[in-house]
Amino acid sequence: MRTGLHAGAAIAALIAVSAPGAFAQSRDQIRIVGSSTVFPYTQAVAEQFAGMTGMKAPVVESTGTGGGMKIFCGGVGPDHPDITGASRAMKESEFEACTAAGVDSITEVLIGYDGLSIAHAIDGPDLDLSKAQLFQALASEVEVDGEIVANPYQNWSEIDPALPDSPIQVFGPPPTSGTRDAFVELVMHEGCAEFAAIEALDETRKAEVCERMRQDGPFIEAGENDNLIVQRLNADHNALGIFGYSFLYENTDALKAVAIDGVLPETDTIADGSYAVSRPLFVYIKNAHRGVIPGLDDFVAEYVSEDSFGPGGYLEERGLIPLSDEEREQVRAAVEQGSQMDRFN
């Protein structure tokens, strides 16, 4: 807390000398950017905060994890956001960019867990896909008869005759999205490990084959707005979509989940780890803005309150999988103290 408060005090003092009250008066709303997956949770906390305090609700923008990190790390002051949401942990390169721009005190807040879901229209067939089948459907290059070739598969039945004889069409996130990063790590990498010819490649070539999504039509980048994916699935009942569990949870009247290796994404299966495509979700706090941007301390306290991210809290009601009791206490203490992230030190 000392590092963050000292930084905030120094900035406040400097601004007070040059232009009294300029920092606070130039922005009386908290500004938050980042992950589309974390967005609905942060938006819920923003609404609760405004209702409790009577202050203006924070401005929450869905920019994607990578885009949010870039904006968040742009600098300190009223022109830069106070918080960013992320559906993966901050990368070392992002931390270095933050530090270079003077954003050198950041609190990393693990808010809970999320299942990376694949779904289609509710009147579609029940589907159970393996990670290997998903890799075969979506990778730019695949193994066929022991050779690495450009992906030839156009229909699901070409991968496995037991799958529907329908075109492969999957709407997914762009490269700037933490959801895309998580999908590549948790599905594509693990799926490609099932193929001997790919496993035999040198590490550089193997990474290229395992990570590169196809660009010939079956995989469609749908931008950072997960709601648009939901709309497209309702319009095309053969299509699949990739997004966070909260969007599936909020659209169970219109969407049906695809099982991965025999397990459906549900609150219990994500929490106990039996659904093997789950990931942690984060928010990152710019400590230099605490005590300077009005309401920021109260907002982050509400975010980690039991009513918010605890079991039975209003974020669980929106699909967030809560942390354990011990994890929540550790997170809450780090937020209260303004603990500086030191993973890269």
Side-chain angles (χ1 to χ4, degrees), residues 80-92:
H80 304 282
D82 314 303
I83 294 172
T84 190
S87 54
R88 57 159 172 78
M90 178 180 280
K91 299 176 181 178
E92 185 169 8

Side-chain angles (χ1 to χ4, degrees), residues 53-78:
T53 65
M55 299 182 69
K56 291 182 179 179
V59 176
V60 187
E61 300 175 71
S62 177
T63 62
T65 295
M69 290 292 182
K70 184 175 182 180
I71 300 168
F72 177 81
C73 291
V76 171

Side-chain angles (χ1 to χ4, degrees), residues 96-120:
E96 291 171 351
C98 266
T99 302
V103 185
D104 54 7
S105 180
I106 301 165
T107 297
E108 181 179 67
V109 184
L110 174 63
I111 63 168
Y113 296 98
D114 173 57
L116 189 57
S117 305
I118 301 173
H120 58 155

